[in-house]
Amino acid sequence: MGQIKDVWRLTVNRETPQKLTGILRNVRERFSKRSASNTAASKRANHTNEPDRFQSRENTLSPFSSRANQRRQTSKSARFTQQGKPTRAGRESIVARIINAWWTRLLQSIYHGSLSEQEAEYAEHETSRDYLWNTIGTMIWGFSFPILTIIAVQLAGVEQAGRFSMAFVTGTLLMIAANYGVRTFQVSDLDERASFASYQINRIITSVGAILLGLLYCSLRGYDPAMTSMSLGVYIYKVIDGLADVYEGRLQQADKLYLAGVSQALRSAAAVILFALVLLITRSLMLASAAMALAAAGTLIVVTIPLAFFETEKSRRAELSEVSSLLVQCAPLAAGLFLFNLIETMPKIVMEGALPYDSQLYFNAMFFPAQGILIAVGFIYRPQLLRLASIWGNPRRRRRFDLIVLAMLGLILVITGFMAVVMGSVGVGFLSMVYGLDFERYKDLAILMVCAGGITAAIDFLYAILTVLRRAGDVMRIYLIAFAASFVLPLILIHILGLAGAVMSYLAVMGLLLGLLLVDYVRIRQAITRERNPFSPERNL
């Protein structure tokens, strides 16, 4: 204002133009500084809103797309100071932020007294994430057994590791009994004819029955207290696997399979890590097995059960009629699955009474590459089952369906041949390295085991095809024949040839089962063709 008065005075007094020019320049500089100051203040104000942009970017980079809510917005905006710099909380890793957010959500649900009343945060219909996390979870779960046996060999010795292997094999049978074949039935129950509460009660009943069956097995085998305690720890871990399956099936039913994969991966990884730590410290397989069961129970309570309730619709109450109906309807499938896995396990059961426990370790170690064939083949054909069902549904495309079946069987043959070559060249040496044992003397048996793994993969594929044809119930007769062979043949060959007899009997029984399945598939396929052909002589009789 004073500068303006000076200008007026100079104008009135008609002073020199040079002084007037200097004063105007001074006024312009002051206004420029004030404008720059306002611009800086505006930038600082905008910078304080940076957490919102950071929030948006972080949601994009989050491993799971989640629905924004006020609670998470508030917690993340606190990660910045007023100058826009990240606080210590803002520098936390993404894993730490997920864990903190999960604990907050879990504690709030406990405070409000309900898990199912919470708002779902994770997105559904995430096909790529479903495939990724389901694969990760299945891989960690599938390879936990060989990893655990390797740890047991290194820290507890061959004989104790063999005992642990036998307990794990039996525990897997108990897990299948606990599952009761309900997962596929539950996932396909889109109309929820049976409530989730009924599925839970059904699974609790079958899980308790599996534990009782495990106790009965220990008693019949006459295990000493140490073996019984170790076996019970493994049994509880595997039965918890079966119990968790009903909650992960609920997530899959809600089209959030990737969350089920996360749950399975966390449970399997936690069990392996805690088992290794306890065994490293105590050198006791009994305590390590108990720790493994404790890890599984902890992840079930803290992660799996809350996740299923948080991310799915609230279920109606359970009904006794629904629970009994599930037990009746799923009994044939449960019997078929249990019988098939019992056929696979019979050589190991016979070995337990006839051979030292270190033979169990060698047998299972050679079986793991064969199991890898089964897993690889499953990853190839299982995602295509819906497409195969669609092709089969069109009568004009049945020939294409047959060609796909033949092509898949040919691919299994190629994979098996490749694995046999790998096992014969470097595979046996790799097993010797990771286990610290000499597998060179069992090189021929390892190759035979790979061949048995390829046959098992073909059996698994053909059973899935028969399910697509809605004729899976026709294989029970075949399973009973194979079970009789699996009971008699190992008894003879193991007592004569030892470990070699166990491998040969396993290969022979799997070969018999595959041959019977192929004959039955051809018969069923021809019968369906005659039924659909209006000019068939049999149809016109």
Side-chain angles (χ1 to χ4, degrees):
M1 197 67 178
Q3 298 292 340
I4 296 173
K5 289 180 180 180
D6 291 339
V7 172
W8 174 255
R9 186 176 66 252
L10 290 173
T11 304
V12 173
N13 295 335
R14 291 182 174 86
E15 295 188 16
T16 59
Q18 291 81 2
K19 292 184 178 181
L20 178 60
T21 302
I23 293 172
L24 289 175
R25 186 184 300 111
N26 192 11
V27 170
R28 187 167 56 251
E29 290 175 356
R30 289 196 176 189
F31 275 101
S32 297
K33 291 180 179 179
R34 183 175 299 176
S35 177
S37 177
N38 291 337
T39 302
S42 176
K43 288 182 178 180
R44 285 195 299 272
N46 291 335
H47 197 63
T48 58
N49 293 327
E50 183 65 19
D52 293 335
R53 294 196 295 272
F54 182 84
Q55 165 74 22
S56 176
R57 182 172 64 87
E58 186 175 44
N59 282 339
T60 303
L61 297 177
S62 175
F64 313 118
S65 59
S66 58
R67 301 176 184 175
N69 57 66
Q70 188 63 35
R71 171 172 53 81
R72 296 180 68 189
Q73 292 274 2
T74 304
S75 64
K76 289 184 179 179
S77 63
R79 295 178 189 156
F80 291 84
T81 63
Q82 291 183 353
Q83 289 76 22
K85 297 180 179 179
T87 62
R88 181 177 180 181
R91 292 190 295 268
E92 289 179 346
S93 67
I94 189 170
V95 175
R97 288 198 296 270
I98 292 174
I99 293 174
N100 291 337
W102 178 255
W103 275 112
T104 302
R105 189 181 183 193
L106 188 61
L107 293 175
Q108 285 185 351
S109 66
I110 295 173
Y111 176 77
H112 289 98
S114 176
L115 296 175
S116 56
E117 298 292 341
Q118 299 294 311
E119 181 183 358
E121 293 188 4
Y122 297 113
E124 54 190 21
H125 310 303
E126 295 287 338
T127 305
S128 59
R129 285 175 182 160
D130 286 345
Y131 184 81
L132 173 64
W133 281 102
N134 183 56
T135 301
I136 292 174
T138 303
M139 291 288 287
I140 295 176
W141 178 85
F143 287 101
S144 61
F145 185 22
I147 293 172
L148 288 169
T149 54
I150 291 171
I151 295 171
V153 168
Q154 301 298 332
L155 299 180
V158 177
E159 198 267 344
Q160 290 297 318
R163 288 174 175 265
F164 176 79
S165 297
M166 187 62 221
F168 206 97
V169 167
T170 311
T172 302
L173 274 177
L174 297 179
M175 181 199 70
I176 294 169
N179 286 342
Y180 203 70
V182 173
R183 175 68 176 264
T184 304
F185 192 90
Q186 177 189 8
V187 170
S188 60
D189 185 14
L190 300 179
D191 297 330
E192 295 194 29
R193 296 180 180 178
S195 67
F196 178 51
S198 297
Y199 281 108
Q200 291 180 80
I201 293 176
N202 170 271
R203 190 58 58 89
I204 290 172
I205 292 173
T206 57
S207 298
V208 171
I211 291 293
L212 295 177
L213 187 62
L215 289 172
L216 178 62
Y217 182 82
C218 291
S219 176
L220 293 176
R221 277 294 184 183
Y223 286 159
D224 57 45
M227 182 65 180
T228 301
S229 299
M230 182 191 67
S231 298
L232 285 179
V234 177
Y235 295 169
I236 292 172
Y237 163 63
K238 296 303 293 182
V239 170
I240 288 175
D241 247 353
L243 181 60
D245 179 77
V246 75
Y247 298 99
E248 292 162 358
R250 177 64 168 172
L251 290 168
Q252 184 179 2
Q253 188 182 31
D255 204 5
K256 297 181 179 181
L257 180 60
Y258 67 100
L259 295 179
V262 171
S263 169
Q264 187 179 46
L266 286 175
R267 182 173 63 258
S268 302
V272 170
I273 292 171
L274 198 57
F275 175 88
L277 289 176
V278 173
L279 188 59
L280 178 65
I281 295 171
T282 65
R283 293 297 197 275
S284 170
L285 277 174
M286 181 180 66
L287 294 178
S289 300
M292 185 170 61
L294 184 63
T299 55
L300 175 71
I301 295 171
V302 175
V303 177
T304 307
I305 293 177
L307 193 59
F309 281 103
F310 287 163
E311 297 299 324
T312 61
E313 297 292 334
K314 185 176 181 180
S315 171
R316 66 179 188 274
R317 293 181 180 275
E319 296 183 12
L320 183 60
S321 60
E322 293 177 351
V323 176
S324 60
S325 177
L326 288 173
L327 290 171
V328 173
Q329 292 185 46
C330 296
L333 181 58
L337 289 173
F338 186 82
L339 191 57
F340 173 71
N341 284 274
L342 185 59
I343 292 170
E344 277 196 311
T345 309
M346 278 304 296
K348 304 172 188 178
I349 294 176
V350 175
M351 284 169 59
E352 187 179 19
L355 300 177
Y357 275 107
D358 56 354
S359 298
Q360 291 283 349
L361 176 67
Y362 285 108
F363 186 94
N364 286 303
M366 291 185 290
F367 175 74
F368 294 143
Q371 187 181 30
I373 298 175
L374 181 63
I375 294 174
V377 171
F379 282 152
I380 294 172
Y381 82 81
R382 289 187 186 280
Q384 304 299 323
L385 284 178
L386 183 61
R387 181 167 172 262
L388 284 172
S390 176
I391 294 173
W392 175 255
N394 187 347
R396 296 183 177 181
R397 304 171 73 184
R398 295 288 170 81
R399 185 174 296 277
R400 183 181 178 185
F401 182 88
D402 294 335
L403 290 176
I404 292 175
V405 171
L406 290 175
M408 191 66 210
L409 291 175
L411 181 61
I412 293 173
L413 181 62
V414 171
I415 294 174
T416 304
F418 174 77
M419 285 296 297
V421 172
V422 171
M423 181 58 66
S425 56
V426 298
V428 174
F430 178 76
L431 288 177
S432 301
M433 180 185 67
V434 296
Y435 281 94
L437 302 171
D438 180 20
F439 280 87
E440 287 294 336
R441 51 181 173 160
Y442 299 126
K443 185 175 182 178
D444 294 337
L445 295 181
I447 295 174
L448 290 178
M449 187 68 82
V450 168
C451 296
I455 293 174
T456 305
I459 292 171
D460 184 69
F461 172 68
L462 283 178
Y463 185 79
I465 292 299
L466 291 175
T467 303
V468 171
L469 303 183
R470 295 295 185 264
R471 298 297 182 94
D474 295 352
V475 303
M476 184 58 67
R477 175 181 55 86
I478 295 175
Y479 280 167
L480 290 174
I481 295 173
F483 175 71
S486 71
F487 183 79
V488 175
L489 202 57
L491 281 175
I492 298 174
L493 293 181
I494 289 175
H495 282 85
I496 297 175
L497 302 174
L499 180 59
V503 175
M504 292 178 182
S505 64
Y506 177 68
L507 176 62
V509 171
M510 290 296 105
L512 173 64
L513 182 55
L514 177 60
L516 293 174
L517 271 178
L518 284 172
V519 172
D520 203 50
Y521 171 74
V522 172
R523 180 187 62 80
I524 291 172
R525 184 69 184 84
Q526 291 175 347
I528 293 175
T529 301
R530 288 194 299 268
E531 291 171 3
R532 301 296 175 88
N533 184 5
F535 302 104
S536 173
E538 291 85 351
R539 186 181 178 90
N540 294 327
L541 290 176

